[in-house]
Amino acid sequence: MIINCTKKLQDELGIKPELVEVHNPLFSWHANLIKINRRKNLVLVNDVARYNIV
């Protein structure tokens, strides 16, 4: 499984981006950081199925 992070999440986690080849796009996800009621929440979205997890 490959999780691609947004710039906001990369800065929060203190990680640097890497280039990775995706063989099966079904296992590719995007992660974003949002604030709800002053609390940080992680949102994951599948690239193909658009299934999301908060």
Side-chain angles (χ1 to χ4, degrees), residues 14-54:
I15 58 175
K16 294 184 181 182
E18 297 179 14
L19 294 177
V20 178
E21 262 187 57
V22 178
H23 297 289
N24 188 350
L26 185 61
F27 298 113
S28 180
W29 294 74
H30 271 86
N32 192 13
L33 183 70
I34 61 171
K35 285 190 178 183
I36 300 175
N37 294 332
R38 296 178 291 179
R39 294 189 178 170
K40 296 176 185 175
N41 296 286
L42 185 66
V43 177
L44 293 170
V45 179
N46 186 287
D47 291 343
V48 175
R50 301 291 187 222
Y51 181 76
N52 57 31
I53 301 170
V54 178

Side-chain angles (χ1 to χ4, degrees), residues 3-18 31-33:
I3 300 176
N4 301 306
C5 299
T6 60
K7 177 69 174 155
K8 184 195 285 187
L9 184 57
Q10 288 175 358
D11 292 341
E12 183 70 27
L13 296 175
I15 58 175
K16 294 184 181 182
E18 297 179 14
N32 192 13
L33 183 70

